[in-house]
């Protein structure tokens, strides 16, 4: 998803630092991804703008060694779904009279109300969660994806509430740069939920999957955790 200008700037920087004309200064740089799924984001752009900003259109694209992965490991157990994804990715899936790809009905959760449809989605994805929540492989082998962080938090909260274990609440520590402002702005800081950071109040239960986002201070063992969108 990185724009080609950033990659080209990294290439020039490494060449300069290493005092060589070799690509990336002779350092090993690995890029991974699928241009069919994750192109660069161009605000207000069209399809051609996304492609033009990608590494594909960079003058250094022909130089790196390219390794192609052809087997979908996530959908390996469901060859029909795997073939469906590949047809979409290769532009071969049939379209309707509005030039849109129609999702097969077995893959659709009918919408009635937001609450009922969400509950239906939970039951299909995590059947008998109250009995299977202690099964690690069952929990981590499936996921619900959504578009916005607010939806992620909402879905996480609903699913965690279905775990039968006791709930624990973890509070974040918010500090102002100037200690004199702490009492005045502390309540305000507690209301903020910056992207990439866990909420001020983090609700967890035993057997609930969590993911380490980043190591805040490895020397002191300060780790930042968050719940995953199950």
């Amino acid at each position: 998803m990185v724009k080609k200008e950033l990659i080209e700037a990294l290439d020039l920087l490494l060449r300069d630092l290493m005092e060589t004309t070799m690509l990336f200064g002779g350092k090993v740089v690995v890029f991974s991804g699928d241009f069919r799924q994750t192109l660069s984001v161009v605000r207000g752009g069209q399809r051609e703008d996304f492609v033009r900003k990608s590494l594909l259109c960079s003058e250094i694209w022909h130089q790196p060694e390219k390794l192609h992965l052809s087997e979908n490991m996530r959908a390996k157990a469901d060859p029909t779904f795997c073939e469906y994804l590949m047809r979409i990715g290769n532009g071969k899936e049939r379209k309707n009279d509005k030039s849109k790809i129609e999702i097969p009905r077995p893959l659709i959760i009918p919408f009635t109300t937001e609450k009922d449809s969400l509950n239906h989605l939970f039951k299909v994805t995590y059947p008998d969660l109250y009995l299977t929540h202690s099964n690690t492989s069952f929990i981590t082998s499936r996921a619900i994806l959504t578009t916005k962080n607010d939806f992620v938090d909402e879905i996480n909260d609903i699913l965690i509430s279905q775990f039968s274990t006791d709930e624990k609440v973890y509070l974040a520590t918010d500090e102002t740069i100037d200690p004199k402002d702490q009492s005045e702005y502390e309540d305000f800081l507690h209301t903020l939920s910056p992207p990439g950071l866990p909420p001020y109040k983090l609700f967890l239960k035993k057997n609930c999957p969590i993911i380490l986002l980043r190591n805040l201070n490895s020397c002191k063992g300060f780790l930042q955790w968050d719940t995953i969108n199950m």
Side-chain angles (χ1 to χ4, degrees):
M1 295 177 65
V2 178
K3 292 182 174 63
K4 66 178 182 181
E5 290 85 357
L6 297 177
I7 299 174
E8 291 168 350
L10 174 63
D11 173 42
L12 293 175
L13 174 62
L14 292 177
R15 293 189 191 201
D16 186 39
L17 291 174
M18 302 307 298
E19 299 181 349
T20 178
T21 58
M22 296 179 63
L23 183 66
F24 296 115
K27 299 297 182 180
V28 177
V29 179
V30 180
F31 298 99
S32 66
D34 189 341
F35 291 112
R36 297 173 299 183
Q37 299 183 45
T38 52
L39 286 173
S40 302
V41 176
V42 179
R43 189 181 296 274
Q46 302 297 322
R47 180 176 180 179
E48 55 270 21
D49 299 316
F50 305 148
V51 175
R52 193 179 300 116
K53 286 293 183 179
S54 72
L55 183 61
L56 281 171
C57 295
S58 172
E59 59 182 15
I60 66 174
W61 169 247
H62 67 279
Q63 298 181 56
E65 179 184 2
K66 300 171 184 65
L67 304 176
H68 299 277
L69 306 179
S70 57
E71 187 173 1
N72 190 328
M73 301 304 294
R74 292 184 178 181
K76 188 175 182 179
D78 191 345
T80 301
F81 182 62
C82 184
E83 293 173 4
Y84 171 68
L85 293 180
M86 291 302 296
R87 289 198 304 272
I88 293 177
N90 294 330
K92 296 181 179 180
E93 179 64 10
R94 291 183 300 176
K95 301 178 181 179
N96 58 21
D97 53 1
K98 296 181 180 179
S99 297
K100 302 293 184 181
I101 294 175
E102 294 186 357
I103 301 176
R105 289 190 176 275
L107 301 180
I108 297 176
I109 300 294
F111 180 81
T112 50
T113 66
E114 182 176 345
K115 181 179 180 181
D116 291 342
S117 296
L118 275 177
N119 286 333
H120 189 180
L121 176 63
F122 297 156
K123 290 180 180 178
V124 170
T125 310
Y126 297 94
D128 300 323
L129 180 61
Y130 66 97
L131 295 175
T132 56
H133 67 270
S134 59
N135 186 332
T136 303
S137 60
F138 172 84
I139 294 295
T140 58
S141 64
R142 57 201 71 207
I144 297 175
L145 304 180
T146 186
T147 53
K148 295 184 177 180
N149 290 336
D150 291 342
F151 300 155
V152 171
D153 294 337
E154 179 183 353
I155 291 175
N156 277 337
D157 291 341
I158 295 174
L159 284 171
I160 291 174
S161 67
Q162 298 183 21
F163 281 66
S164 59
T165 50
D166 294 333
E167 182 179 78
K168 289 189 177 182
V169 181
Y170 297 88
L171 303 180
T173 300
D174 295 322
E175 295 182 0
T176 58
I177 296 177
D178 190 338
K180 293 184 296 184
D181 297 329
Q182 184 71 24
S183 59
E184 183 177 356
Y185 294 105
E186 187 172 29
D187 291 339
F188 169 70
L189 292 174
H190 293 344
T191 65
L192 303 179
S193 295
L197 293 176
Y200 167 64
K201 285 186 178 181
L202 184 60
F203 300 92
L204 297 179
K205 290 185 177 182
K206 185 178 180 180
N207 298 317
C208 168
I210 56 176
I211 185 171
L212 174 63
L213 295 179
R214 62 177 62 86
N215 200 334
L216 295 181
N217 191 328
S218 57
C219 295
K220 294 185 178 181
F222 291 160
L223 305 180
Q224 177 185 305
W225 300 87
D226 197 2
T227 54
I228 64 171
N229 184 19
M230 300 185 296

